[in-house]
Amino acid sequence: MPNFLCRWPNGDLSIVGAADRNAAIIILDEIGDATEAELFETNNLFINFTLTDQGHLEFESFAESFDTDVMEKCYPLILKAQMEDEDETENYTQATAAERLRFGQVQVDQTDELAKNIFIARLVADNSIDLPAAIETYKKELPLFDRTWHDLAQICHTDRGLQIQAGGQARNFEVSGNLEPYEGDDLLPHLLLAAVLAAEMNASMITIWDDVKGTIKQPIGSYWRWLAQEARRLSLATDVRLN
C-alpha cells in the first residue's frame, strides 16, 4: 500500500497509508481538507519509536532516507538553510517562518473557501471531468474571483445556518420564486450541495461527494436548483485551462 506525506498549509505534517491519493484525502479529512495541502507519495517510510516505562510510544527518529525525503518534498526552505549552515545545533526560525508562509494563503476569507468550491463544482459540471481533476486545475491556475462569486458565497453562508445536512432536509429545502428549466441529469445542484457541506465541515469536496453522489438519481430541492442557476450566471475565469 502506498504511503503519503501530507504537508499542511501551516507546516504540520501527516503520514498516511492509503490505496491512492483520493483514499488518502478521505482519511486525512479527520484532520482537515487535504486538497488544500501538498500530498506526496513516498516509498521510504521508516519511523522509530521507543517504549517508555509508562507504557507509551514516543517518537525517536526517522530513518535517514525517509528524513531526506520529507525535507526535500515538504520543507525545501528549511533544508536549504540546513545545507548552507554547518552548525547542526542552529535554530532555523527564519526558514521555518518562511515555510509556513510558502503557501501564500494560510488564512482565507470566510467566503473564499465556498467561492472556490462553487467554482470547482462549475468546472466539474460544465466540462464533464471528475472532482480531483477540477481541484488540480484550480490549484494550478488559482483564478481570481470577482465580487459576484463572494456575494453568492455569502448568501450560501447565511443560509447554512439552517443546519444543512447531506440528504433529507438539505435536498428538500425549498425556495420561493421562479426557477429556470432544470435538466434532471444536471449534476451541478448536487455538486453545489457538496460544495456547501465541504465548506461548512472544513472537509474536502471529494469526501463529501462520496456521500452526496448516492442521491443524484433522486429529486433535489429547489434551493439547490436555484443555486445552480445563480452559479451558472457567474463568469468563469477565461485563463483557466483544463488538464
Side-chain angles (χ1 to χ4, degrees):
M1 177 180 292
N3 298 299
F4 294 90
L5 307 173
C6 179
R7 196 278 197 191
W8 298 98
N10 68 354
D12 291 350
L13 178 71
S14 298
I15 304 168
V16 62
D20 52 33
R21 292 175 64 87
N22 288 351
I25 289 170
I26 291 172
I27 295 170
L28 289 163
D29 246 8
E30 183 175 331
I31 299 174
D33 182 359
T35 62
E36 296 292 326
E38 291 181 322
L39 207 60
F40 306 100
E41 187 172 348
T42 179
N43 297 318
N44 298 314
L45 182 61
F46 191 161
I47 308 173
N48 299 314
F49 296 88
T50 58
L51 180 63
T52 69
D53 293 338
Q54 291 74 36
H56 302 296
L57 289 174
E58 288 186 351
F59 171 78
E60 182 179 83
S61 65
F62 293 137
E64 184 175 350
S65 60
F66 183 60
D67 184 60
T68 301
D69 204 21
V70 169
M71 298 306 294
E72 287 180 347
K73 293 178 177 178
C74 302
Y75 305 104
L77 300 183
I78 297 176
L79 178 62
K80 182 176 183 291
Q82 291 174 344
M83 294 177 66
E84 293 174 349
D85 194 330
E86 296 180 357
D87 185 359
E88 295 183 356
T89 63
E90 180 69 29
N91 292 322
Y92 301 101
T93 54
Q94 289 185 342
T96 300
E99 270 293 349
R100 286 183 170 140
L101 295 174
R102 183 161 59 85
F103 275 48
Q105 290 187 354
V106 177
Q107 301 293 329
V108 297
D109 183 84
Q110 194 169 29
T111 60
D112 281 355
E113 185 69 15
L114 186 49
K116 178 203 76 173
N117 287 354
I118 293 172
F119 179 84
I120 290 171
R122 274 281 308 272
L123 285 182
V124 174
D126 291 4
N127 297 282
S128 299
I129 58 175
D130 61 18
L131 265 173
I135 290 170
E136 287 305 309
T137 298
Y138 168 82
K139 289 171 70 174
K140 288 179 180 178
E141 301 295 335
L142 292 177
L144 295 176
F145 305 124
D146 61 35
R147 187 65 246 171
T148 56
W149 287 88
H150 293 277
D151 289 344
L152 185 58
Q154 185 60 50
I155 292 172
C156 296
H157 172 69
T158 302
D159 288 339
R160 278 186 287 159
L162 297 169
Q163 301 298 315
I164 293 172
Q165 301 173 11
Q169 294 177 0
R171 291 189 296 105
N172 294 326
F173 177 51
E174 300 296 324
V175 294
S176 59
N178 295 325
L179 287 172
E180 294 175 359
Y182 166 73
E183 299 294 334
D185 60 351
D186 186 0
L187 289 181
L188 186 55
H190 292 86
L191 285 162
L192 290 170
L193 169 57
V196 173
L197 287 167
E200 174 74 12
M201 299 168 66
N202 189 30
S204 71
M205 282 186 68
I206 292 175
T207 302
I208 301 300
W209 182 242
D210 275 349
D211 293 328
V212 173
K213 68 182 179 182
T215 70
I216 61 177
K217 299 298 183 182
Q218 304 172 27
I220 194 165
S222 62
Y223 176 81
W224 305 104
R225 303 200 303 277
W226 169 83
L227 186 56
Q229 175 179 294
E230 296 303 309
R232 281 210 165 97
R233 289 176 177 167
L234 304 179
S235 297
L236 287 176
T238 56
D239 60 343
V240 171
R241 298 179 296 276
L242 297 176
N243 294 334

